Amino acid sequence: MKNWQGKTYWLIGASDGLGAALAHKLNRAGAEVIVSARSEDKLAALVDDLPGKARYQTVDVSDNDSVKQAAAAVGPVDGVVFLAGVYWPFGAKEWNADQANAMADINFTGLMRVMGQVVPDMVKRDHGHIVITSSLTGFRGLPGSIGYTASKAGTMSLAESMYADLRKTGVQVQVINPGFIKTQLTEKNDFTMPFIMEPEEAAQAVIEHMSTDKFKKSFPFAFSLVFRLSQFLPDWLYYRIFS
């Protein structure tokens, strides 16, 4: 069980939804939180609402200069949680180039940009905690999810590679794979979302995972089994079921 007192965590993509809920939980547990996103107004309101020591730093993870400037302003931290993401639902037959590129650039390449600024310093200090947000959709390709599923598969793969390299150092790497969470992003879906979670419920699952030494957490558990077991299905059966 981790002691959050006196620790500083940088949460990127935390202006609302899961990020804001997690900021509240970490802050109440004793950690100083630095919340980041593009919207300064939302960040300022969140900081005002947080119960403990907190500040904000605007950042656009799709802009390398913005990420560099934000990382320099934030300085060395004990932990970084990457939650930034965008989502539009469409498949290959309705390909929207701008939206697909944005999902790849923010969800995956944005993570790369941030990691490029924080990982070298953590490795140098042999101290740090990195939490990457992927998704249950990242386990295997899904219909109607061209940009999002591919970007989340990339985040999961990056987390796995980082864990392989850093697992015997002082830098802990974790990845979370949530299912549906009630946010502005999932409001775009026009289908029934099984086991959909409130942000506070999902944030509790995340902070419980962050308190452990385990690498990967997929939740909610029952729903996650569908995606994890799908990896072992032959192609002919998988695509028949999931299409």
Side-chain angles (χ1 to χ4, degrees):
M1 200 72 174
K2 287 187 177 67
N3 180 7
W4 304 105
Q5 292 290 334
K7 300 290 175 57
T8 302
Y9 273 72
W10 185 19
L11 279 61
I12 301 162
S15 57
D16 50 29
L18 174 60
L22 182 61
H24 273 278
K25 289 189 178 294
L26 283 170
N27 206 219
R28 285 197 295 269
E32 176 185 357
V33 295
I34 306 164
V35 291
S36 285
R38 288 177 293 183
S39 173
E40 185 169 6
D41 290 345
K42 286 185 177 181
L43 293 172
L46 173 59
V47 168
D48 287 343
D49 194 42
L50 288 168
K53 190 175 181 181
R55 56 191 170 101
Y56 71 85
Q57 173 63 49
T58 57
V59 67
D60 180 355
V61 299
S62 68
D63 184 305
N64 202 48
D65 288 337
S66 176
V67 172
K68 287 182 177 179
Q69 292 167 9
V74 167
V77 292
D78 296 291
V80 173
V81 185
F82 188 88
L83 304 120
V86 293
Y87 167 68
W88 293 275
F90 60 86
K93 294 178 182 177
E94 306 83 26
W95 197 295
N96 184 308
D98 289 340
Q99 292 176 349
N101 293 347
M103 283 186 275
D105 194 39
I106 293 171
N107 301 357
F108 176 67
T109 310
L111 170 63
M112 277 286 198
R113 292 186 184 100
V114 171
M115 293 298 102
Q117 298 304 311
V118 301
V119 172
D121 176 69
M122 287 185 175
V123 170
K124 184 179 179 180
R125 293 186 286 130
D126 196 33
H127 172 78
H129 184 192
I130 296 165
V131 182
I132 293 170
T133 306
S134 183
S135 166
L136 293 182
T137 66
F139 281 106
R140 196 163 180 178
L142 290 169
S145 186
I146 283 297
Y148 191 76
T149 291
S151 68
K152 290 303 184 179
T155 61
M156 191 184 299
S157 179
L158 176 59
E160 290 169 347
S161 295
M162 290 172 58
Y163 177 75
D165 289 335
L166 300 173
R167 65 192 182 89
K168 293 185 178 180
T169 72
V171 182
Q172 182 185 11
V173 178
Q174 295 181 304
V175 62
I176 54 170
N177 304 311
F180 295 114
I181 302 172
K182 193 175 291 185
T183 65
Q184 293 178 344
L185 298 185
T186 53
E187 286 177 358
K188 298 176 182 179
N189 290 332
D190 60 359
F191 54 84
T192 300
M193 292 172 278
F195 300 95
I196 189 166
M197 306 175 76
E198 294 290 340
E200 293 74 18
E201 181 186 6
Q204 183 61 35
V206 174
I207 196 169
E208 287 176 3
H209 180 56
M210 290 173 64
S211 299
T212 73
D213 295 325
K214 296 178 181 178
F215 167 54
K216 186 180 292 184
K217 182 178 181 66
S218 301
F219 63 94
F221 177 75
F223 193 39
S224 74
L225 288 177
V226 175
F227 294 87
R228 289 186 285 165
L229 293 175
S230 75
Q231 299 175 95
F232 304 102
L233 295 177
D235 287 344
W236 68 268
L237 180 57
Y238 173 77
Y239 290 109
R240 179 175 295 180
I241 293 172
F242 280 82
S243 64

